[in-house]
Amino acid sequence: MRCAAIYARVSSDQQKEDNTIASQTAALVAFAREQGFSVPDEWIMEDAGFSGASLVRPGLERLRDLAAEGHIEAVLIHSPDRLSRKYAYQVLLTEEFARHGVETVFIKAPHSGTPEDQLMLQFQGMIAEYERAQILERSRRGKRHRARAGEVSVLCGAPYGYRYIRKTNDAPARYEVDAVEAEVVRLVFENYTVGGLSIGALARLLNEMGLPTRRRVTRWERSVVWGMLRNPAYKGTACFGKTQVAPRQKVTKPFRLSGRAGFSENTSQHERPREEWIEVPVPAIVTEETFALAAERLTDNKRFAPRRTIEPSIVQGLVSCRKCGYALSRTSTRTSARKIHYYRCLGADSWRHLGGSVCDSRPIRQDLLDEVVWREVMRLIEDPTLIRAELDRRLDAARAAEPTKRRQEALERELVRVSKSMERLVTAYQEDLLSLEELRRRMPELRAREQTMRTELQAIRDQAADRMTFLRLAETLTAFLQKLRASAQSLDVSDRQRIVRLLVKDVLVDDDTVIIRHSLPMHTTIPSSGKTSSPSNGKSPSADKSYLLRSGSD
């Protein structure tokens, strides 16, 4: 008897649950018995839940190893598309098996080697590849349509803090807030936005508290906390289509040593542009303001990461060149008396660019530029009406947020509809139109839906109440700014840096101009020259042939 191996594959978990892979294996075992092949149990390879468009499959790897080691004479497969959905991969594998003296036998394909049968086999491979492309496109369009309709069934399960409730005959699938996990989510956001803890400190805090993760282990990783802070589902809008599969940009050493994929495989998830995401409404766990604060701090952390900074400066990470757009890095030089720090344009470094430097901007004194920006920030906060106007503007924008208003109106309408459905069920039972068993079966589902919608509606109302509390800031704003001005000169560099980063977006400089962009709306006019003079040193800028913030030796 000829030694053979069996290979079967299905690409989805649903096919696995429906035992379609078991039916393939049974048909192949029966075929092997009829044709006189000897197939040990350990040589029956099954890949359940693996795509036919990839060669990285555990069962297929074992099969290729068996063929290379010379243990088998034939491999039995149900049809060509079970080996691969790509015709090129089918040819590659069959030729590889042939080089090792292994015959590839498809029980649902021609068995003879005539040119006509080989042509038919090639047609089957191309049709399988076309069919896969059709399935992917139909699935993609169907999921996008359901996502736009607000169905959470297109999402990949529920994140931490929620439970996924499967759809029934009376209700669609939905997310339901898990009270215990939701408290952990609120704890993470509160400590990150208000407490100022880092992501690493949050992971250590959760580990010390012994709080279980979704997989019921007590080990919290920083990547999990980072993903939680970025997930928009917690503010009430889960998003579909956030990522796409693409080739891996950087093959790390652990991934390379695992041998899971080559350089050309689509094995990495890349984030799509934000405008391509499709929002699906879900119950909110944190307010939109809290999520926005977390997102802002994540952005600032990425922008203002220390990166081996030993001595911080006030405008570190905020300064850019007005000529070329490159950021300014800090450098220093030492005189006979002291060490002087400068901001230097990256475009002026010839060693960074193939064609030499791309900018002729000169270095700028750090201490003088920091002083100019700090004086401007102090001038801004001397006028509390500017900050009060900005608070009012943000509150008005939050009150007029259309997605929140539309979601609240939709919840109120759905709540009325569910209440009427419950009343009709009770009326039908009282009039003997509905049995008690049917009432007991259908009523809990409606009550659960009602409770979920009431919880989400209350969360939206709480958000509106939280926005109103910001109005109380205006009452104590003047006193706070007075205290800040009184202690401004005694603040250290790190405290000044935090205040500047709260108000200043960026600082653009060139040889004779400093432009400070901040987040407060200005109602006063700025001089037409647009130039900021350096600290006085007894010389006028026009008479001095040097450049800004370095005109004097003192």
Side-chain angles (χ1 to χ4, degrees), residues 205-381:
L205 175 64
L206 296 176
N207 290 328
E208 292 171 359
M209 295 175 66
L211 298 173
T213 63
R214 171 57 62 85
R215 296 183 179 180
R216 294 296 177 251
V217 296
T218 56
R219 177 68 180 176
W220 288 84
E221 301 293 343
R222 286 175 294 179
S223 60
V224 176
V225 178
W226 176 77
M228 182 182 295
L229 292 169
R230 296 179 70 248
N231 193 340
Y234 296 121
K235 69 182 180 73
T237 53
C239 293
F240 172 78
K242 293 190 295 184
T243 59
Q244 60 184 351
V245 179
R248 184 171 292 272
Q249 294 178 346
K250 181 180 180 181
V251 180
T252 59
K253 183 176 180 180
F255 189 84
R256 185 174 65 252
L257 294 178
S258 66
R260 286 177 287 172
F263 285 86
S264 61
E265 294 289 341
N266 291 337
T267 57
S268 179
Q269 293 283 342
H270 295 260
E271 191 168 279
R272 294 177 181 269
R274 183 62 179 83
E275 59 271 12
E276 296 182 9
W277 297 5
I278 301 176
E279 295 185 349
V280 180
V282 297
I285 293 180
V286 300
T287 64
E288 293 185 8
E289 289 79 9
T290 301
F291 188 84
L293 286 174
E296 182 178 0
R297 191 180 173 202
L298 286 170
T299 303
D300 290 344
N301 287 348
K302 186 177 181 179
R303 181 182 179 187
F304 301 130
R307 296 186 181 91
R308 302 185 300 276
T309 299
I310 299 176
E311 298 179 5
S313 63
I314 294 178
V315 294
Q316 175 185 343
L318 294 172
V319 191
S320 300
C321 180
R322 191 182 177 192
K323 292 182 179 180
C324 63
Y326 278 95
L328 269 68
S329 62
R330 196 169 53 160
T331 185
S332 64
T333 185
R334 183 173 291 278
T335 67
S336 59
R338 57 175 175 161
K339 184 178 182 180
I340 304 176
H341 290 276
Y342 295 93
Y343 291 112
R344 178 178 175 84
C345 177
L346 297 178
D349 294 335
S350 58
W351 60 271
R352 295 180 184 270
H353 310 280
L354 293 176
S357 61
V358 296
C359 184
D360 59 356
S361 294
R362 300 181 182 180
I364 297 176
R365 282 274 296 271
Q366 172 202 314
D367 53 349
L368 301 180
L369 180 60
D370 288 354
E371 183 63 25
V372 169
V373 176
W374 180 247
R375 286 207 314 266
E376 176 66 16
V377 170
M378 288 294 100
R379 188 184 67 82
L380 286 174
I381 63 178

Side-chain angles (χ1 to χ4, degrees), residues 418-430 443 446:
V418 171
S419 299
K420 290 183 178 179
S421 298
M422 295 172 64
E423 291 177 2
R424 286 195 292 268
L425 282 178
V426 174
T427 302
Y429 171 70
Q430 291 174 346
M443 187 63 75
L446 292 174

Side-chain angles (χ1 to χ4, degrees), residues 60-110:
L60 182 60
E61 293 290 335
R62 291 170 53 203
L63 180 65
R64 296 170 74 177
D65 291 342
L66 282 178
E69 294 167 2
H71 295 304
I72 56 177
E73 301 176 48
V75 54
L76 310 181
I77 306 172
H78 190 267
S79 59
D81 63 333
R82 296 301 90 193
L83 179 61
S84 177
R85 281 283 187 178
K86 288 188 175 182
Y87 173 67
Y89 286 171
Q90 292 181 11
V91 175
L92 183 147
L93 292 171
T94 52
E95 289 182 352
E96 177 184 326
F97 293 149
R99 285 197 302 271
H100 298 303
V102 178
E103 179 187 2
T104 305
V105 180
F106 300 105
I107 66 173
K108 294 297 183 181

Side-chain angles (χ1 to χ4, degrees), residues 1-2 29-38 76 105 107 111:
M1 298 180 66
R2 299 171 61 192
V29 170
F31 178 82
R33 191 180 299 112
E34 293 173 1
Q35 300 298 321
F37 289 104
S38 173
L76 310 181
V105 180
I107 66 173
H111 297 168

